[in-house]
Amino acid sequence: MRKLITAFYLFVVAAGSLAGAVPARAQTDPLPSWNDGAPNKAILDFVARVTKEGGPDFVPVPERIATFDNDGTLWCEMPFYFQMAFAFDRVKALAPQHPEWKTKQPFKALLQGDVKTAATAGEKGLIAIVEATHSGMTVADFETTVLDWLKTARHPRFKRPYDELIYQPMLEVMQYLRANGFKTFIVSGGGMDFMRPWTERIYGIPREQVVGSSGVTQFRLLKDGKSEMFKTAKVDFIDDGPGKPVGINRNIGRRPIISFGNSDGDLQMLQYTTSGSGARLGLYVHHDDAEREYAYDRKSQIGKLDKGLDEAPKWGWPVISMKNDWKTIFPAPK
Amino acid sequence: MRKLITAFYLFVVAAGSLAGAVPARAQTDPLPSWNDGAPNKAILDFVARVTKEGGPDFVPVPERIATFDNDGTLWCEMPFYFQMAFAFDRVKALAPQHPEWKTKQPFKALLQGDVKTAATAGEKGLIAIVEATHSGMTVADFETTVLDWLKTARHPRFKRPYDELIYQPMLEVMQYLRANGFKTFIVSGGGMDFMRPWTERIYGIPREQVVGSSGVTQFRLLKDGKSEMFKTAKVDFIDDGPGKPVGINRNIGRRPIISFGNSDGDLQMLQYTTSGSGARLGLYVHHDDAEREYAYDRKSQIGKLDKGLDEAPKWGWPVISMKNDWKTIFPAPK
């Protein structure tokens, strides 16, 4: 027995020397779609600091909370929020059951293909569209319509499924953070029920780590002994602007240590994140790449980034230039 | 080299035979504080079924969601909810700043040590107490008062810290479920902010897996560049009765496959859990042990279990008798 043990140790030592003899494999770049620059350096440095055991900035695993806005941060939001595209398509699909829409705005415009008029119908018009398409059914049925829509709908410019228009560099960031013990959450102004059916598949973020806007739901026990969650038309929570720290407190209960956003709606989330004690990082994605994606900021109707651009340097938040910092925008088509 | 590799394999084989030669270690009982009976058998059978790969009831790990009521299910709730004891003690601590309480009910009764009168002050009185003790401060400051209180407060009957009056058999269930890939959540009518500071330490349930009642919080950016979440007096959400499936949908977004409760306030959570498709299990803890803990059900003001007792047999929910099914109630004093 002793002989075997000795042989085993010899084997281990030999294997070790052998490994030393071959050239060490180059350490894999965790962010291959990022060009070297301030943003990727800030991310890499931050992760190194908070994961260094015994270091001054070490953060225990349970407190490694990372939050990501979705629209414009993890996936494209132009020419208008994808959830709006979904709602418009749903109006068309539901029109046969609503003859009154033929003469009623903003439905009339939508049904005539005049998305611009519909999109500018103001808050009241949009609420009417959301009510008509996002309530009066069960959560499960709603999710089915979302998944069905994703299978067939195509983005007007890129002619690809909407869930392929996600940002490859951000996928790498999320994966890198998770590999370093972070729990990644979505904190989006978009609808929670709209996102949950697909975030696990496309981002690796499970349903319970999706925080978003929501309507009031009701528990209904049915006569056949089954039960369902029913979506009412009443707004429960708007997870945007100052609502984002509230949503974080409500669904996570920990202050994030790193957050990513792209608009003024993410300002308070970044402030909340980076005003805590210890190592903190907030980053803004800046849409400045009209050629490969879109270029918009201070004057945009959607994803407006105005105050945030002024605040970023004051708070020390790196601003990610999609044009200069990202080698790739979207993953290659499947 | 080849010799070494051969020797290594021989070593592995030898080690394997050696292990086979000694008597196999008896499989550890995962629920040692449970007597054999219908409830523990139901739990063990359920876990075996949903974790058996290729079996008809197999459930993938991400869908293994377990929810637990807290008061009366994971810890004691008598002679009144522990959060109420906390609120009463806070009233006493804050009294010097509120001279008007000397003549104002229910504060007057509380300050005179007449908890019974205060506890029966009705909803309006209780809301006044909750407002006075649970709002007007930051979430962080509130959490500090909760933790400080737990350090010094003692249960009137058991003379032990409140957070030691947790149920040993339920600790074992949670640990057993987690060891089998379940994610364990608290879904309680109690305050989310009241529970989050200590659930990880005493139950192994992290803050983000605590669903509870809550007030409206506000994000406040301070002049010194710091920020805080402020607790207002406005009620946001009551996570009780039909609110429990709503809270589950809001914070988890998946229907649990196993749930534990002890009162009529858990009825809808158990219905929601067990009316889904596939293998499901709901269980009620029945307080029938006046000697070691308390005995109460249909007529109790706190933790009333009336309708639930009628529904349990109809739904096939095992009812756990604390007296007969549990060998131990609380963990041994530290």
Side-chain angles (χ1 to χ4, degrees):
Chain A
M1 194 60 205
R2 181 177 300 265
K3 242 187 187 165
L4 280 172
I5 293 172
T6 310
F8 171 64
Y9 280 122
L10 282 172
F11 169 77
V12 171
V13 171
S17 325
L18 210 70
V22 298
R25 195 171 44 163
Q27 211 191 322
T28 320
D29 179 0
L31 303 175
S33 300
W34 291 68
N35 287 316
D36 282 337
N40 85 325
K41 194 178 169 309
I43 297 166
L44 296 169
D45 284 358
F46 175 78
V47 171
R49 282 160 60 209
V50 301
T51 56
K52 190 186 160 70
E53 277 194 57
D57 294 324
F58 179 74
V59 175
V61 166
E63 289 162 34
R64 293 184 199 160
I65 301 294
T67 54
F68 297 83
D69 168 57
N70 184 45
D71 296 306
T73 299
L74 293 182
W75 76 355
C76 178
E77 63 184 350
M78 286 291 177
F80 38 77
Y81 299 125
F82 292 0
Q83 190 173 355
M84 229 188 266
F86 163 77
F88 294 168
D89 285 347
R90 287 302 298 157
V91 165
K92 286 173 209 156
L94 294 167
Q97 299 157 46
H98 295 272
E100 75 279 12
W101 287 353
K102 277 184 196 152
T103 54
K104 197 179 166 189
Q105 291 294 15
F107 301 98
K108 185 184 166 192
L110 267 189
L111 295 175
Q112 291 171 341
D114 181 5
V115 169
K116 261 193 186 154
T117 301
T120 56
E123 201 177 336
K124 213 175 151 189
L126 282 177
I127 287 173
I129 292 171
V130 170
E131 273 189 16
T133 56
H134 285 67
S135 69
M137 75 283 280
T138 67
V139 173
D141 286 346
F142 176 75
E143 290 192 357
T144 303
T145 64
V146 172
L147 291 175
D148 286 347
W149 175 77
L150 281 175
K151 278 180 210 152
T152 54
R154 294 295 177 268
H155 187 274
R157 173 174 162 196
F158 298 109
K159 316 292 180 201
R160 294 177 64 178
Y162 286 97
D163 57 357
E164 288 187 13
L165 300 177
I166 56 181
Y167 302 134
Q168 176 63 30
M170 295 305 293
L171 293 180
E172 292 166 7
V173 166
M174 289 190 283
Q175 208 161 9
Y176 174 57
L177 288 173
R178 290 194 290 262
N180 281 282
F182 282 76
K183 220 167 174 174
T184 50
F185 287 83
I186 287 174
V187 179
S188 167
M192 202 169 65
D193 293 340
F194 178 75
M195 296 181 283
R196 278 179 170 162
W198 45 264
T199 54
E200 187 142 20
R201 178 174 52 83
I202 78 167
Y203 300 139
I205 293 185
R207 306 169 63 91
E208 60 270 32
Q209 287 163 222
V210 175
V211 186
S213 298
S214 56
V216 170
T217 58
Q218 278 172 354
F219 173 69
R220 291 190 177 176
L221 189 61
L222 307 176
K223 282 182 188 162
D224 62 359
K226 292 190 177 156
S227 67
E228 59 186 28
M229 297 307 300
F230 188 81
K231 287 172 73 69
T232 75
K234 202 177 159 194
V235 170
D236 175 37
F237 180 64
I238 300 295
D239 190 49
D240 198 35
K244 289 208 175 191
V246 174
I248 290 169
N249 187 63
R250 196 172 85 151
N251 277 36
I252 309 177
R254 301 187 200 257
R255 193 191 285 244
I257 62 170
I258 181 168
S259 288
F260 292 78
N262 78 298
S263 78
D264 286 355
D266 303 312
L267 184 58
Q268 286 84 358
M269 176 168 78
L270 266 60
Q271 288 172 334
Y272 182 51
T273 300
T274 59
S275 60
S277 57
R280 303 271 160 178
L281 187 59
L283 299 102
Y284 258 131
V285 174
H286 190 196
H287 292 262
D288 59 358
D289 192 336
E291 199 175 314
R292 293 187 301 171
E293 205 239 14
Y294 294 92
Y296 58 95
D297 46 37
R298 293 184 189 274
K299 285 171 184 168
S300 181
Q301 288 283 330
I302 280 170
K304 182 179 179 175
L305 178 63
D306 182 33
K307 208 172 172 198
L309 271 185
D310 297 334
E311 292 291 315
K314 294 181 202 164
W315 288 81
W317 301 331
V319 175
I320 300 160
S321 160
M322 289 180 77
K323 193 174 178 178
N324 301 319
D325 290 314
W326 287 0
K327 286 179 191 161
T328 316
I329 306 288
F330 305 124
K334 284 167 197 166
Chain B
M1 193 60 206
R2 182 177 299 263
K3 244 186 185 168
L4 281 171
I5 292 171
T6 310
F8 171 65
Y9 281 121
L10 282 173
F11 170 78
V12 171
V13 171
S17 326
L18 211 70
V22 299
R25 196 171 44 164
Q27 212 191 324
T28 320
D29 179 0
L31 303 175
S33 301
W34 291 69
N35 288 315
D36 281 338
N40 84 325
K41 194 178 169 308
I43 297 166
L44 295 169
D45 284 358
F46 175 77
V47 171
R49 280 160 60 209
V50 300
T51 56
K52 190 185 160 71
E53 277 193 58
D57 294 325
F58 178 74
V59 175
V61 166
E63 289 162 33
R64 292 184 199 161
I65 302 293
T67 54
F68 297 83
D69 168 57
N70 184 45
D71 296 307
T73 299
L74 294 182
W75 76 355
C76 178
E77 62 184 351
M78 286 291 176
F80 37 77
Y81 298 125
F82 292 0
Q83 190 173 354
M84 230 189 264
F86 163 78
F88 294 169
D89 285 347
R90 287 304 297 158
V91 166
K92 287 174 208 156
L94 293 168
Q97 300 157 44
H98 295 273
E100 75 278 11
W101 287 354
K102 278 184 196 152
T103 54
K104 197 179 166 188
Q105 292 293 17
F107 301 97
K108 186 185 166 190
L110 267 190
L111 295 175
Q112 291 172 338
D114 181 6
V115 169
K116 259 193 187 153
T117 302
T120 55
E123 202 179 335
K124 213 176 151 188
L126 282 178
I127 286 173
I129 292 172
V130 170
E131 273 190 16
T133 56
H134 285 66
S135 69
M137 75 283 279
T138 67
V139 173
D141 286 345
F142 177 75
E143 290 193 355
T144 303
T145 65
V146 172
L147 291 175
D148 287 347
W149 176 77
L150 281 176
K151 278 180 208 151
T152 55
R154 294 295 176 269
H155 187 273
R157 173 175 161 195
F158 297 110
K159 314 294 182 203
R160 293 179 64 179
Y162 287 97
D163 57 357
E164 289 187 13
L165 300 177
I166 55 181
Y167 303 134
Q168 175 64 30
M170 294 305 292
L171 293 180
E172 293 166 7
V173 166
M174 289 190 283
Q175 210 160 7
Y176 173 56
L177 289 173
R178 290 194 290 261
N180 282 282
F182 282 76
K183 220 167 175 174
T184 51
F185 288 82
I186 286 174
V187 178
S188 167
M192 202 170 65
D193 294 340
F194 177 75
M195 296 181 282
R196 278 180 170 161
W198 44 264
T199 54
E200 187 143 21
R201 179 172 51 82
I202 77 167
Y203 300 139
I205 293 185
R207 306 170 63 93
E208 60 271 28
Q209 286 163 224
V210 175
V211 187
S213 297
S214 57
V216 170
T217 58
Q218 278 171 354
F219 172 69
R220 290 189 177 177
L221 189 62
L222 308 175
K223 282 182 186 161
D224 62 0
K226 292 191 176 152
S227 66
E228 59 186 27
M229 297 307 299
F230 188 81
K231 286 171 74 68
T232 75
K234 202 178 159 194
V235 170
D236 176 36
F237 180 63
I238 301 295
D239 189 49
D240 198 35
K244 289 206 175 191
V246 174
I248 289 168
N249 188 62
R250 197 172 85 150
N251 277 36
I252 310 176
R254 301 186 201 258
R255 193 191 286 243
I257 61 169
I258 181 169
S259 288
F260 292 77
N262 78 297
S263 78
D264 286 355
D266 303 311
L267 183 58
Q268 287 84 357
M269 175 168 79
L270 266 60
Q271 288 171 334
Y272 182 50
T273 300
T274 58
S275 60
S277 57
R280 304 271 161 178
L281 186 60
L283 300 101
Y284 259 131
V285 174
H286 189 197
H287 293 262
D288 58 358
D289 192 336
E291 200 177 311
R292 294 187 302 173
E293 205 238 13
Y294 294 92
Y296 57 97
D297 46 37
R298 294 186 189 272
K299 286 173 184 167
S300 180
Q301 288 284 329
I302 281 170
K304 182 178 178 174
L305 178 62
D306 181 33
K307 208 172 171 199
L309 272 186
D310 296 333
E311 291 291 315
K314 292 182 203 163
W315 288 80
W317 302 330
V319 175
I320 301 160
S321 159
M322 290 179 78
K323 194 174 177 179
N324 302 319
D325 290 314
W326 288 1
K327 286 180 189 158
T328 317
I329 305 288
F330 306 124
K334 282 167 199 166

